[in-house]
Amino acid sequence: MNDTREAVELSERAAELARTLVAERFPEGTGGPQTLEDMEEALAWVKRELGVRLQREWVARREQERERDNRVQCAQCKGWARFFGGRERRVMTRHGELHFTRPYYHCPACRAGFAPLDQRLGLDGHATTPKVRAWLADLGSEAAFETAARRLATFTDVDLSESTAARITAEVGRRLRAEELEEAKRILKGEVVPRRTDWQPIRLYLSLDGTMMPLRDPWKRNGSLGALHCRYGECKAAVCYETKPDPRGKPVVARRQYTATLEPVETFEKLVAGLAYHCGSDQARELTVLADGLAYNWRIAAEYFPEALQILDFYHALDHLHQVARVCLTPVADAVAAVTPQAWVAARKEELLRDGVPAVLAALRALPAATTEAGECREDAIGYVERNAERMRYGTFLKAGYHIGSGVMEATCKKVVHQRLDQSGMHWNPKTADGVVALRANQLSHRPRKLRAYCHGWS
């Protein structure tokens, strides 16, 4: 009954305040809005002020509901905390900054200080509300932190600094990543975890790759940790996707889910397992792992998806052939009689598209090796093709309608990593970068997790 009465009172107060605000905006005798733009600006101002004032009055009422006590029970140790005076609290809400003074208490037993009103209002230790954090994290995953803060201020009345945008974005990403890993560990233990998508795939692709991005060693702007030292580090990425036939019957990507991390392979493989599970890898009629020649890609495929068909990226294989052809064929003295590297690779390409791996191996063994470098390069290429022979049956794969190129994976590296984290002049703290890339992979996925869930309970 009290809740109902409060709702009615709030509604009546909102109506009364709205009338007051309209009168403030357009005093008697000045006339109302003359153009649509005038009306638009007036409504925006009334809406903003209505939110700010109602919010302030509601908080004041929460404090008046309860008399100040000289002591209250400590929530941590259950001892008695003493009144320590009034302290101001500032919180950035979606309507702008809210500031108020509330009674503050200190517990001598556990040395904790707290304000009971904060607890009743559901406030944590951070100076923003969960909604503002979710907004800022979303913007921070899309653009530079300075740009994210500026855009938020442009479209709302929330004015925060670039450093706040960076801290909030990284923290939301860290919490999202922690949940992803916790879910993955439970999945690998065989526990039941609700799926994040409703996919029931017929043919599901899982593609893996690594890409380089600019990082920096520990550093502070004031120079207290020494000179800035930048380097490149690997960001590992994975994408699960389904295809559907276009009007000409060609398979095109229908939907996709991403993950990416700067953490070691031991962490990446758990994220991959979780990603595949949420996309229905254990229910798919066909699961295909499509990747380049990195050893850890195929170890992950063998360990976590032993039933999957493995396909080596066709263009990655051609890159290896181009490399060996340049080293072994370019130095040939009789350039007129010699086969050019381009022609040699073109012939190998046609052989691969006809399942001609034995012919490619024979052509590799027949290459001249005028130098030690050429000999080593040739042997490396032979070993590469031998190790991946089963993954290079491109003629068979194409007839069955499989993708043989990792174009989707290359686009993943570009969209998830480079478009946000590899722009001109950027260099990243690895932990911040990992939080941002976790967020970006989530936000670009077909079914992203809701960021609001990671914006509560901050210290």
Side-chain angles (χ1 to χ4, degrees):
M1 190 68 179
N2 290 336
D3 291 343
T4 302
R5 183 168 61 251
E6 183 179 26
V8 171
E9 291 176 355
L10 186 63
S11 175
E12 292 175 349
R13 177 56 182 153
E16 177 186 353
L17 189 54
R19 288 192 293 270
T20 301
L21 290 171
V22 171
E24 286 183 22
R25 183 72 179 185
F26 300 105
E28 188 175 352
T30 61
Q34 302 301 311
T35 66
L36 181 59
E37 183 179 7
D38 291 343
M39 186 62 177
E40 183 180 41
E41 291 296 324
L43 287 174
W45 182 85
V46 169
K47 179 181 177 181
R48 179 173 65 250
E49 285 298 311
L50 182 62
V52 170
R53 297 188 192 186
L54 273 181
Q55 197 168 243
R56 190 180 300 133
E57 290 182 12
W58 182 83
V59 170
R61 181 177 295 184
R62 296 280 80 76
E63 178 54 25
Q64 294 169 0
E65 288 175 353
R66 183 173 177 178
E67 295 182 2
R68 177 182 64 78
D69 298 317
N70 286 327
R71 63 176 191 166
V72 297
Q73 193 171 41
C74 176
Q76 293 191 28
C77 69
K78 305 304 179 183
W80 289 100
R82 297 175 181 175
F83 176 63
F84 212 68
R87 288 198 179 179
E88 187 176 0
R89 180 71 192 268
R90 294 178 179 270
V91 181
M92 185 62 76
T93 77
R94 63 189 297 170
H95 303 292
E97 188 176 56
L98 173 68
H99 52 89
F100 56 94
T101 301
R102 75 278 197 246
Y104 191 81
Y105 294 81
H106 181 266
C107 178
C110 64
R111 300 182 180 276
F114 60 95
L117 181 60
D118 289 354
Q119 299 170 5
R120 296 203 300 276
L121 295 179
L123 298 177
D124 55 27
H126 205 270
T128 53
T129 60
K131 183 63 176 180
V132 171
R133 295 169 207 170
W135 278 351
L136 202 49
D138 188 13
L139 290 169
S141 73
E142 285 290 325
F145 298 129
E146 184 276 333
T147 303
R150 175 166 48 80
R151 286 178 178 171
L152 188 62
T154 299
F155 296 113
T156 71
D157 291 292
V158 179
D159 190 2
L160 296 169
S161 67
E162 176 184 356
S163 59
T164 299
R167 287 195 301 272
I168 287 177
T169 303
E171 178 63 14
V172 174
R174 185 193 68 79
R175 288 168 176 256
L176 185 151
R177 169 56 42 77
E179 182 178 80
E180 287 179 334
L181 283 173
E182 181 59 32
E183 283 185 355
K185 291 174 183 177
R186 291 172 56 200
I187 291 166
L188 293 173
K189 289 179 181 178
E191 297 181 19
V192 177
V193 175
R195 296 185 194 271
R196 295 284 177 175
T197 75
D198 57 358
W199 293 14
Q200 294 180 334
I202 296 175
R203 176 177 289 175
L204 182 68
Y205 290 88
L206 171 62
S207 194
L208 316 171
D209 200 2
T211 188
M212 305 304 286
M213 59 160 292
L215 302 176
R216 65 169 181 261
D217 290 337
W219 172 77
K220 287 187 177 181
R221 293 181 184 273
N222 62 12
S224 60
L225 294 181
L228 173 65
H229 181 259
C230 298
R231 57 185 173 83
Y232 274 88
E234 184 186 40
C235 180
K236 304 168 189 65
V239 56
C240 266
Y241 65 95
E242 282 190 284
T243 60
K244 64 178 182 181
D246 66 8
R248 296 175 297 176
K250 180 181 178 181
V252 295
V253 177
R255 50 189 177 181
R256 62 194 90 189
Q257 294 285 122
Y258 303 106
T259 191
T261 185
L262 280 81
E263 294 293 324
V265 175
E266 293 76 17
T267 299
F268 177 58
E269 62 191 34
K270 293 181 177 63
L271 293 172
V272 170
L275 173 71
Y277 168 83
H278 284 300
C279 293
S281 61
D282 56 330
Q283 298 178 336
R285 296 184 192 176
E286 299 178 27
L287 176 61
T288 301
V289 177
L290 176 58
D292 63 18
L294 284 173
Y296 69 70
N297 288 338
W298 303 117
R299 182 189 62 75
I300 291 173
E303 183 173 345
Y304 294 93
F305 315 104
E307 76 288 355
L309 173 67
Q310 297 181 5
I311 300 178
L312 179 73
D313 172 36
F314 181 63
Y315 302 101
H316 189 268
L318 291 183
D319 284 343
H320 271 68
L321 296 179
H322 275 291
Q323 181 180 359
V324 70
R326 285 195 300 269
V327 173
C328 292
L329 294 177
T330 302
V332 174
D334 188 0
V336 176
V339 176
T340 65
Q342 293 78 10
W344 186 89
V345 172
R348 306 294 79 76
K349 177 180 178 180
E350 294 303 316
E351 290 168 350
L352 287 176
L353 292 174
R354 296 194 301 268
D355 286 348
V357 172
V360 172
L361 284 170
L364 283 169
R365 294 188 177 102
L367 282 173
T371 65
T372 301
E373 178 191 2
E376 292 175 351
C377 186
R378 182 182 62 186
E379 293 305 312
D380 287 344
I382 291 171
Y384 175 85
V385 174
E386 288 177 338
R387 288 192 304 274
N388 293 290
E390 284 297 307
R391 305 179 184 116
M392 298 172 69
R393 295 177 290 115
Y394 299 117
T396 298
F397 298 150
L398 286 174
K399 287 179 183 177
Y402 289 101
H403 282 185
I404 63 170
S406 60
V408 176
M409 188 67 247
E410 295 300 322
T412 296
C413 291
K414 182 178 180 180
K415 288 178 61 179
V416 175
V417 183
H418 295 289
Q419 287 182 354
R420 172 64 182 92
L421 293 101
D422 193 14
Q423 298 300 306
S424 177
M426 286 185 173
H427 46 79
W428 292 85
N429 174 303
K431 290 189 178 298
T432 301
D434 195 59
V436 173
V437 82
L439 269 178
R440 191 161 174 80
N442 178 74
Q443 296 302 90
L444 291 171
S445 291
H446 181 75
R447 286 291 176 88
R449 300 169 187 246
K450 302 298 183 183
L451 297 186
R452 189 76 171 268
Y454 313 104
C455 298
H456 291 272
W458 289 24
S459 58

